[in-house]
Amino acid sequence: MTAVSPALDAALAKLADSEHLLIALDFDGTLAPFVDRPEDARALPEAQRAVEKLLEISHTTVAYVSGRAVDSLQLASESPDGVLLVGSHGAEYRFDGVDAHPPLSAEDSARVAALAEAFLGFADEHPGVSIERKPAGFAVHTRGVETDAAFSAENDARRIVADVYPDATVRDGKNVLEFSVLSATKGDAIRHLRDYTGATAVLYSGDDVTDEDAFRVLAESDLALKSGDGPTVAPYRVEAPAEVAAVLHRLAELRAATGR
Ligand SMILES: [Mg+2]
């Protein structure tokens, strides 16, 4: 297994000593390698095992914080019992199997329906592009689509949304453009999870632009770990999900050694 750098190891040791630890993790590109069809994505087995080890330790909470709709996150992550699920970038929560997010207002439901109607036929006009419906909006997936075609699909999508509901929140990710009638970010999700769990320290790891919102709300006693390439405010970076899994194993080892 990949070794963890000395600087990161020291930071993990400090984190492992905290009274109540929250380990919050993005899913795609962080626990699971990218695949062409989002429904085929699965966490690396070693990541899954590390999460199970962490769940056995007392005063230690694991949460998955994803841009996926929470149903899709639960399916893809095959999340072990006890993992708190946050979907749609903080617009959906599922704790211990119970949905903990407020239902959409009548106005927001009408906005989602109007957007859905405006996107009827969109995937037919843009071969290879797929539309994922979410409770509060949808995502336009362009993974595997040639650059020019993806660019034109994203421009068309932005134009349609600007006509129908210009106040929609737009999120640009890797090969995905998302529109939501809600404005929650992963930063909001981390604040909520911290309150809900009473965590005294947080590890957050993610690979995409939207994960930066989560990194930005972390405090000095927390740890931000970027997975993969791209600009980040996170002070620590690893290459890919295999290295994230190694970090989680090391954290579990250090935390278990504190006698919890
Ligand atoms: Mg990701």
Side-chain angles (χ1 to χ4, degrees), residues 144-184:
V145 177
E146 189 243 330
T147 314
D148 287 354
F151 186 71
S152 119
E154 291 190 354
N155 273 345
D156 281 357
R158 285 180 198 273
R159 207 161 32 233
I160 292 170
V161 172
D163 279 348
V164 176
Y165 183 49
D167 288 339
T169 304
V170 183
R171 293 191 191 88
D172 221 336
K174 288 177 185 158
N175 305 303
V176 60
L177 189 64
E178 299 187 44
F179 303 98
S180 170
V181 300
L182 303 175
S183 61

Side-chain angles (χ1 to χ4, degrees), residues 10-177:
L12 290 173
K14 204 171 136 222
L15 202 67
D17 244 350
S18 195
E19 203 175 313
H20 191 121
L21 181 58
L22 169 65
I23 298 119
L25 305 162
D26 169 52
F27 184 71
D28 298 275
T30 302
L31 295 178
F34 282 111
V35 290
D36 283 342
R37 300 180 346 138
E39 60 269 37
D40 294 338
R42 291 293 178 272
L44 290 175
E46 56 265 42
Q48 189 90 343
R49 274 196 302 275
V51 166
E52 282 159 13
K53 269 165 72 180
L54 286 163
L55 287 168
E56 282 170 14
I57 305 170
S58 66
H59 304 288
T60 307
T61 307
V62 180
Y64 293 167
V65 182
S66 176
R68 286 175 180 258
V70 78
D71 285 333
S72 156
L73 175 61
Q74 183 158 14
L75 274 175
S77 70
E78 302 169 322
S79 58
D81 284 351
V83 175
L84 306 179
L85 298 178
V86 182
S88 300
H89 306 279
E92 295 185 280
Y93 294 90
R94 185 169 294 164
F95 295 165
D96 302 315
V98 178
D99 285 343
H101 49 276
L104 285 187
S105 67
E107 287 98 331
D108 282 342
S109 295
R111 285 167 184 144
V112 175
L115 284 169
E117 203 183 308
F119 271 80
L120 285 174
F122 187 87
D124 296 334
E125 286 158 33
H126 296 280
V129 174
S130 65
I131 303 288
E132 180 196 357
R133 278 295 301 272
K134 296 189 174 194
F138 54 90
V140 178
H141 291 278
T142 56
R143 180 162 285 274
V145 177
E146 189 243 330
T147 314
D148 287 354
F151 186 71
S152 119
E154 291 190 354
N155 273 345
D156 281 357
R158 285 180 198 273
R159 207 161 32 233
I160 292 170
V161 172
D163 279 348
V164 176
Y165 183 49
D167 288 339
T169 304
V170 183
R171 293 191 191 88
D172 221 336
K174 288 177 185 158
N175 305 303
V176 60
L177 189 64

Side-chain angles (χ1 to χ4, degrees), residues 3 65 87 200 221:
V65 182
T200 50
S221 49

Side-chain angles (χ1 to χ4, degrees), residues 220-259:
E220 203 153 336
S221 49
D222 303 330
L223 199 158
L225 179 68
K226 164 88 172 172
S227 168
D229 300 332
T232 185
V233 298
Y236 298 95
R237 184 196 298 267
V238 291
E239 237 173 78
E243 287 75 30
V244 175
V247 167
L248 296 177
H249 273 285
R250 180 64 180 143
L251 182 57
E253 188 176 77
L254 288 164
R255 183 116 175 118
T258 64

